[in-house]
């Protein structure tokens, strides 16, 4: 394929995403169901854009506004910096009808790449090869096909004894002989637009729902002397079309394996890929080790030489180099380098911890800044606090940040020592180098270097 697609206004990319997705049994439009932490449509959009087409069109219909909003929100992350053309399919009467509604968009181009928004595993390599093969073979349409051990549910490719593609037979109408064919239609096509427009006019309505199948166009094109070609995928798993939750889970598993392989090949040790889950945008630095039963979600970014897991859930977490996180949850928070968290810690949003800090067993931290070398080792709740460097927080210490109406701040200056089981009633400030005796309930600020004891004296009665 030459890079400018044979001159100006030459390649249009069309994504079909208007279908109801009935088999998902969902109130969410099918193409917005997530795979690898992103809507399925994200991957199709990114792929369409990677072809460097002259324009991208998306057919929307069912829940059109929700789909449009999602597309606009993720376009930039897909690398798309220009307007996407939305085409409204008034009634969801099949993929053929969806393309018919797109004629005003398509007729501006010589070639059209058409793909389905429910195939998140398609690879750029195959799509590129499809467009290139279409260019080389000078036919009217080229299909991306695959040979599957279990072709159930897909349109089957009927070939002549000489191997020419004759037509596609959908599962619902195929004879048992046709349905035994293992080569299937991926739903990605490259069309010569002129013949596509002619063929579209002739697709008839089929079945009780009076649907127009795009796949019927092959026979119509051939009847007019057109040439139909196929490019057979080298990676059959990529053609998976998600029509049900069962297929959604298969797509998720394959996507996860691909994402983990990418991490492993970049120098990350993943001890148990089967129990490790990562989203598409997750980054992990070289020589980090991910232990079993760990879930890395959203835009989580882990530095180099870290140890994460077992049993960790990280979402939008940013972890510096050489950190250790064991059996813990971190959501929308940052650890700076050489910080240790866990076991059984819950680090909640807007917390920034470290460097070289230690958040220990059974500790919850929320919207707090915890400084260099500070230790909160056991059974604490730290909320809305600013704790400077080299502070030691004793076991069971609680910041009492909520008075039932509002949240208040606790500030602890550097090198302070807070004994075990202290209640810090916010707003309150503990000075630099100050000490708070174990068991104190602190309601007033403690000056620098002072000792505060705020507990009842022991009485011994006999
Ligand atoms: C379709 C193909 C089938 C192929 C399979 C690959 C047809 C008739 N069949 O079947 O040959 O093997 O994909 O996964 O095309 N859509 C609309 N408007 C509609 C109906 C569908 O935009 O009115 C869109 C859907 O959002 C979806 C795509 O077209 O992205 C395919 O529709 P779907 O219902 O998933 O077709 P399949 O039964 O999977
Ligand atoms: Mg489908």
């Amino acid at each position: 394929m030459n890079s400018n697609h044979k001159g100006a206004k030459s390649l249009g990319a069309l994504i079909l995403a208007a279908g109801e997705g009935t088999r998902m049994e969902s109130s969410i439009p099918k193409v917005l169901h997530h795979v690898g932490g992103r809507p399925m449509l994200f991957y199709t959009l990114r792929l369409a854009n990677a072809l460097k087409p002259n324009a991208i069109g998306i057919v929307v219909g069912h829940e059109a506004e929700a789909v449009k909003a999602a597309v606009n929100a993720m376009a930039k992350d897909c690398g798309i910096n220009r307007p996407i053309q939305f085409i409204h399919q008034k009634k969801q009467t099949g993929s053929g009808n969806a393309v018919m509604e797109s004629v005003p968009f398509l007729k501006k181009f010589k070639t059209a790449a058409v793909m389905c928004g429910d195939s998140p595993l398609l690879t750029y390599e195959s799509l590129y090869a499809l467009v290139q093969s279409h260019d080389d073979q000078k036919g009217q349409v080229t299909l991306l096909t695959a040979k599957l051990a279990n072709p159930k549910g897909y349109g089957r490719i009927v070939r002549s004894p000489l191997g020419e593609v004759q037509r596609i037979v959908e599962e619902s109408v195929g004879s048992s002989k046709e349905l035994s064919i293992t080569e299937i239609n991926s739903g990605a096509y490259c069309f010569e637009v002129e013949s596509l427009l002619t063929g579209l006019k002739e697709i008839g309505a089929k079945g009780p729902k009076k649907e127009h199948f795009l796949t019927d166009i092959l026979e119509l094109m051939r009847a007019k002397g057109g040439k139909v070609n196929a490019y057979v995928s080298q990676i059959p798993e990529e053609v998976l079309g998600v029509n049900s939750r069962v297929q959604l889970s298969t797509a998720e598993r394959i996507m996860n394996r691909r994402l983990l392989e990418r991490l492993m090949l970049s120098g990350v040790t993943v001890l148990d890929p089967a129990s490790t889950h990562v989203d598409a945008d997750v980054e992990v630095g070289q020589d980090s080790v991910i232990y079993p039963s760990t879930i890395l979600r959203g835009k989580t970014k882990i530095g180099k030489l870290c140890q994460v897991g077992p049993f960790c859930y990280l979402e939008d977490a940013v972890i510096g180099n050489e950190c250790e996180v064991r059996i813990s949850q971190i959501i929308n928070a940052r650890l700076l380098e050489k910080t240790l968290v866990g076991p059984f810690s819950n680090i909640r949003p807007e917390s920034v911890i470290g460097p070289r800090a230690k958040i220990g067993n059974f500790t919850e931290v929320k919207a707090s800044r915890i400084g260099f070398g500070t230790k909160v080792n056991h059974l604490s709740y730290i909320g809305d606090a600013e704790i400077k460097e080299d502070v030691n927080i004793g076991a069971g210490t609680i910041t009492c940040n909520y008075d039932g109406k509002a949240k208040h701040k606790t500030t602890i200056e550097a090198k302070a020592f807070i004994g075990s089981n202290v209640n810090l009633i916010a707003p309150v400030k503990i000075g630099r180098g100050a000490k708070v005796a174990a068991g104190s309930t602190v309601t007033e600020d403690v000056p620098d270097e002072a000792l505060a004891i705020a507990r009842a004296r022991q009485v011994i009665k006999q």
Side-chain angles (χ1 to χ4, degrees), residues 23 30 118 241-243:
R23 291 163 278 180
K30 174 167 77 172
D118 65 353
V242 175
N243 294 326

Side-chain angles (χ1 to χ4, degrees), residues 16-19 23 30 89 92-95 98 116-118 154-155 168 170 185-187 189 213-215 241 243:
L16 310 185
R23 291 163 278 180
K30 174 167 77 172
Q89 186 189 15
Q92 281 66 71
T93 49
S95 51
C116 298
D118 65 353
Y154 294 95
I168 298 176
E170 290 303 312
N185 170 31
S186 71
Y189 320 79
F213 294 157
L214 178 59
T215 44
N243 294 326

Side-chain angles (χ1 to χ4, degrees), residues 438-454:
S440 293
T441 293
V442 178
T443 52
E444 285 165 32
D445 290 355
V446 179
D448 290 355
E449 309 295 339
L451 167 67
I453 306 176

Side-chain angles (χ1 to χ4, degrees), residues 266-268 283-289 301-308 319-324 337-339:
S266 74
V268 179
E283 294 173 34
V284 184
Q286 206 175 46
D287 291 321
S288 284
V289 181
K301 200 172 167 182
I302 295 172
K304 295 179 185 167
L305 292 158
C306 291
Q307 310 260 327
V308 179
I319 312 293
N321 295 338
E322 296 179 58
C323 288
E324 232 182 271
E337 64 173 35
K338 295 188 178 169
T339 288

Side-chain angles (χ1 to χ4, degrees), residues 133-143 159 163-167 190-192 195-196 217-231:
S133 145
H134 181 77
D135 269 7
D136 292 347
Q137 300 199 52
K138 315 256 176 288
Q140 277 57 58
V141 57
T142 310
L143 322 167
R159 290 185 184 251
E164 297 163 311
V165 176
Q166 290 179 314
R167 58 201 168 91
C190 200
F191 286 102
E192 181 197 84
S195 347
L196 172 66
I217 204 166
L218 303 194
E219 274 183 290
L220 300 168
M221 284 176 148
R222 277 172 51 86
K224 292 213 156 36
K227 202 172 144 211
V228 178
N229 297 307
Y231 174 82

